Amino acid sequence: MDSPSTHSRRAVLTAGLAVAGGSLLASSPGAAAATPGQDGPRADTRPRGGRYVDPRGPEVVEAERQRVSSGRVRRLHLEAQKARIDIGNRTVDTWVYGDRLPGEVVRVTAGDTLSMTFRNSLPQSTTLHWHGLALRNDMDGVPDVTQRPIRPGDSFDYRFRVTQPGTYWFHPHVGVQQDHGLYAPLIIDDPKEPMEYDHEWVVVLDDWLDGVDGSDPDAVLNELNHGRGSMHGNSGSGEGHDSDGGHAHMSGGHGEAAGHGNHGTGHDSSPGHGTSNSNSNSNSNSNSNHRDHSGHGSGSEGTTVPAWVPPAFPDVDLDRFVPHVNGPGGLGLDLANKSLHEVGLGNLPLHGMSATAAAAAASTGAASREAARASRGARRDDGPGHGHNGPSRLLKSGARSNVLGGMPGSVNYPYHLINGRTKTDPEGFRARPGDRIRIRFINAGGDTAYRVALGGHHMTVTHTDGYPVQHARAEQLLIGMAERYDVLVTAKSGVFPLVAVADGKGKDKTALAVLRTGNGPTPEPSVHPRELEGPLTTADRLRAAEGVRGRSGKPDRVLTMKLMGNMERFNWSFNGYPYTPAQRYAIEEGERVRLVFRNRTAMWHPVHLHGHSFTLPNGGPRKDTTVMRPGQRLAVDFDANNPGLWMLHCHNIYHSESGMMTVLGYRRK
């Protein structure tokens, strides 16, 4: 199958897209100041109103105003929906953006404003996270932190300026929805692109099980973490936020009807913030004077919006319980292995709650539990996420990866894909001998690191995570989940396999695409080019290009993040604190912050920071995602120049949704 969307350099720079904007945005709970400890500040979990920058506050508005703007607005409409998708040798029921897998490439130019009306036609609430972008905080797509989850049938208007050219992507930030098929590339072109090339390919890698013999990601998560389900509460029900009561208090009690909030109680003017509802019908061809349903001009930089009051979190004393999270006896409340919804708390921070409060919540949640179970049973066969009838997909405990330093992951996926195709019916790319090709690799997998090589060719690495590096030759390249790499290749004459090996997961666990510059047979699905036996290029072997090198000198603040947990209990966390939306590690605008990661687990973790890029040590590249091997210690630095509340988490989605997430919060000045 030939690729329908390769781009020449000229086509890349003239490509344009279309959209409309606005949305309901979350203010955040405040929290107490961080308390320094032996290994650095611990997570703040006590709300104290006004201590932290609000995701839609004046600091965020001002940071957006300061971003370079071309004045152009790119308008787009996107729908998340259920679909039947041909993945190459079979058809599966899954969830996608639009009607294809991956979702269609979104292209804008640095300096443009991206304005997207996003409609949720899924049976669960969802969001969009714009992975790798230093964007305005209220557009980051984190439920209960930066925005209200978008309910089934509702729409949300994302609007923000894009400034950094590079290879990015977008996906949900709710449960394990990404592992259904909800992802798409986002390419930000450089208006002054220094590189010359004849073609561009976007190559999306993915591990796949959804819809295969009754399998779905939610069932896998429940099997891994012993039924605790997702930290966001969507696992196992048609609409977990509603049926389990987890967000019921968010749609009522604030004068809002069905989450639409069309009453004018706004206290803030900020670009792109309008109300949203299921009747959104903006015209993508409208001019700059068009006014959409959110009540502001599509080219406007301000509007009045209703305030969203975030969920109220109890004043919990984590000091009393957290030291025992990973030790014998768990939490001491016999709640360590219970889902938040099992005690009727929705998204409230169960871990560390007093025994009295937990008992009261468990009592009052009994009716909610029964209703949730009834809802789950009624919707058991309602598409992906509800069948739970497939075979076990857990990887055998003896699986090992020398590259990753231990077990390569937890999930044994039946298929591995390149651009939504299996190796038995692969994606095809065409060029002429001598053509210069830019390949943009994106790993959209949930649990798999890939080693990638193009048979008969060497690659020249030019970028990682959107930022340029000193050009480096590579025979094969390691790409962890959520990482991106750009490479240049000069095409030879013939037919060549582009192979992605699911490292450590078995000899037959590979994905395949094909480069054709002449006649010849398609490579066999089992092809193994010799480049996969050559030197392996990893991020730590690269050096940042001169224009994006990190500052030298001592940091203003050091935060130690111990990666904790084990495979048996699947109780992942940072510093022993399972995630709740109320957590805060305090930073301040203008600081240079050092994150010291210490992986105390026997598993590797791709760690991702929202809204910022950090620099690897010793002149290493700028990245937003870094691979942490077992036992590894790594210090990375970033500039605190984008105010708001920003997630830090493992991008193995089964780890993050089992607790390995937290929040860095900018303190108000």
Side-chain angles (χ1 to χ4, degrees):
M1 177 177 179
D2 287 340
S3 170
S5 58
T6 59
H7 297 270
S8 69
R9 166 75 182 130
R10 177 172 296 178
V12 166
L13 290 186
T14 57
L17 288 171
V19 189
S23 120
L24 278 173
L25 301 163
S27 59
S28 69
T35 302
Q38 184 176 2
D39 291 309
R42 66 175 175 82
D44 297 325
T45 53
R46 297 186 179 189
R48 297 289 188 270
R51 299 296 297 272
Y52 286 86
V53 168
D54 189 300
R56 53 173 285 177
E59 302 91 342
V60 174
V61 174
E62 177 60 20
E64 179 76 348
R65 190 185 70 81
Q66 294 284 345
R67 292 186 172 97
V68 175
S69 174
S70 67
R72 294 186 297 269
V73 180
R74 305 297 189 188
R75 310 187 197 287
L76 183 73
H77 290 262
L78 181 69
E79 182 176 13
Q81 60 186 356
K82 297 191 292 184
R84 289 182 63 82
I85 298 294
D86 176 10
I87 61 172
N89 66 341
R90 66 183 302 163
T91 300
V92 295
D93 292 309
T94 189
W95 299 349
V96 293
Y97 292 138
D99 59 357
R100 54 174 291 178
L101 179 76
E104 186 174 357
V105 176
V106 172
R107 301 195 76 101
V108 296
T109 299
D112 292 350
T113 294
L114 175 59
S115 182
M116 175 183 280
T117 295
F118 172 64
R119 179 172 176 80
N120 179 17
S121 296
L122 302 172
Q124 293 181 357
S125 292
T126 191
T127 64
L128 284 184
H129 168 58
W130 308 88
H131 186 108
L133 296 192
L135 78 172
R136 56 178 300 145
N137 189 218
D138 48 2
M139 297 287 106
D140 194 44
V142 179
D144 302 333
V145 177
T146 68
Q147 74 168 88
R148 176 200 309 280
I150 307 164
R151 291 182 165 197
D154 281 0
S155 296
F156 192 104
D157 296 323
Y158 290 94
R159 183 184 176 97
F160 52 87
R161 292 178 182 174
V162 293
T163 58
Q164 175 60 39
T167 303
Y168 304 95
W169 62 305
F170 55 92
H171 58 81
H173 219 283
V174 176
V176 290
Q177 292 178 353
Q178 174 196 317
D179 223 21
H180 287 295
L182 294 170
Y183 54 81
L186 171 63
I187 307 303
I188 303 177
D189 290 314
D190 188 341
K192 300 180 180 179
E193 177 60 62
M195 297 197 308
E196 293 291 337
Y197 43 90
D198 301 295
H199 302 281
E200 178 189 292
W201 304 339
V202 178
V203 173
V204 183
L205 313 172
D206 190 24
D207 40 21
W208 193 268
L209 57 80
D210 195 32
V212 178
D213 301 328
S215 296
D216 70 73
D218 300 286
V220 172
L221 176 65
N222 280 324
E223 186 176 4
L224 284 168
N225 67 17
H226 312 293
R228 296 195 303 276
S230 168
M231 301 302 289
H232 290 108
N234 262 335
S235 178
S237 72
E239 174 27 43
H241 289 98
D242 295 332
S243 65
D244 286 5
H247 292 295
H249 60 285
M250 294 165 57
S251 59
H254 301 307
E256 298 175 2
H260 299 319
N262 289 320
H263 55 287
T265 59
H267 63 274
D268 171 51
S269 293
S270 51
H273 299 177
T275 58
S276 62
N277 55 49
S278 58
N279 297 317
S280 174
N281 192 28
S282 300
N283 185 350
S284 63
N285 296 317
S286 60
N287 61 34
S288 61
N289 294 320
H290 170 72
R291 296 182 66 84
D292 65 15
H293 67 277
S294 62
H296 63 80
S298 59
S300 170
E301 286 299 315
T303 186
T304 301
V305 298
W308 171 54
V309 179
F313 295 100
D315 188 6
V316 297
D317 184 2
L318 285 180
D319 292 336
R320 181 177 177 185
F321 297 105
V322 167
H324 306 293
V325 167
N326 291 292
L331 293 172
L333 296 177
D334 196 28
L335 295 173
N337 291 321
K338 292 186 181 293
S339 163
L340 302 183
H341 293 292
E342 286 187 65
V343 292
L345 296 177
N347 66 333
L348 299 183
L350 170 64
H351 298 294
M353 184 176 289
S354 70
T356 301
S363 175
T364 58
S368 176
R369 293 197 303 275
E370 292 306 316
R373 289 172 185 144
S375 174
R376 285 194 290 268
R379 308 187 195 195
R380 187 171 179 82
D381 297 318
D382 186 21
H386 316 295
H388 302 330
N389 296 318
S392 173
R393 295 296 184 185
L394 302 195
L395 195 64
K396 292 182 179 180
S397 59
R400 289 291 181 271
S401 164
N402 292 331
V403 170
L404 299 169
M407 196 166 179
S410 302
V411 184
N412 184 20
Y413 291 88
Y415 297 112
H416 296 271
L417 312 180
I418 289 180
N419 290 354
R421 311 294 297 178
T422 66
K423 60 186 177 182
T424 59
D425 186 10
E427 174 93 314
F429 300 104
R430 292 186 178 272
R432 296 174 300 180
D435 280 353
R436 193 170 168 86
I437 304 164
R438 181 178 189 168
I439 307 177
R440 299 178 185 260
F441 290 108
I442 302 169
N443 185 349
D447 182 73
T448 305
Y450 291 98
R451 290 186 293 113
V452 179
L454 177 60
H457 296 73
H458 72 264
M459 301 176 287
T460 299
V461 182
T462 64
H463 296 73
T464 180
D465 290 3
Y467 284 89
V469 298
Q470 295 178 12
H471 289 195
R473 176 172 171 147
E475 301 297 314
Q476 60 168 329
L477 186 63
L478 179 69
I479 310 178
M481 290 88 79
E483 287 190 299
R484 290 92 62 212
Y485 285 88
D486 292 16
V487 304
L488 288 176
V489 172
T490 300
K492 297 181 180 179
S493 179
V495 181
F496 305 95
L498 175 64
V499 177
V501 175
D503 193 75
K505 292 194 171 182
K507 292 182 179 180
D508 62 332
K509 301 297 185 179
T510 60
L512 174 68
V514 178
L515 164 62
R516 289 183 177 274
T517 63
N519 296 324
T522 299
E524 292 295 324
S526 59
V527 63
H528 188 88
R530 62 178 179 81
E531 285 78 8
L532 286 169
E533 306 304 324
L536 179 66
T537 297
T538 54
D540 57 304
R541 296 177 179 269
L542 302 174
R543 294 294 172 262
E546 184 175 355
V548 298
R549 290 175 185 166
R551 291 188 291 150
S552 59
K554 294 183 178 180
D556 301 301
R557 185 183 299 265
V558 176
L559 298 177
T560 295
M561 296 289 171
K562 289 178 285 187
L563 285 62
M564 303 176 70
N566 62 69
M567 291 296 294
E568 290 74 22
R569 295 180 62 189
F570 223 74
N571 56 341
W572 308 109
S573 70
F574 287 110
N575 296 335
Y577 288 78
Y579 171 70
T580 76
Q583 289 173 351
R584 303 289 183 269
Y585 284 84
I587 59 178
E588 294 187 6
E589 189 170 4
E591 289 183 330
R592 184 164 178 260
V593 180
R594 176 163 296 168
L595 296 173
V596 180
F597 298 117
R598 295 177 176 173
N599 187 357
R600 296 191 172 181
T601 78
M603 174 64 74
W604 75 282
H605 305 276
V607 180
H608 171 53
L609 175 62
H610 286 208
H612 302 76
S613 61
F614 49 74
T615 57
L616 298 186
N618 303 316
R622 288 183 67 169
K623 292 179 63 61
D624 55 69
T625 307
T626 187
V627 170
M628 289 293 303
R629 294 172 176 81
Q632 183 181 4
R633 179 188 183 278
L634 178 68
V636 302
D637 292 350
F638 72 91
D639 292 323
N641 55 12
N642 193 14
L645 302 175
W646 299 103
M647 296 294 291
L648 176 71
H649 64 94
C650 177
H651 221 284
N652 182 316
I653 59 173
Y654 297 97
H655 295 179
S656 61
E657 289 304 318
S658 297
M660 193 174 278
M661 299 188 288
T662 193
V663 180
L664 305 187
Y666 279 66
R667 293 283 301 276
R668 280 184 172 172
K669 293 186 177 179

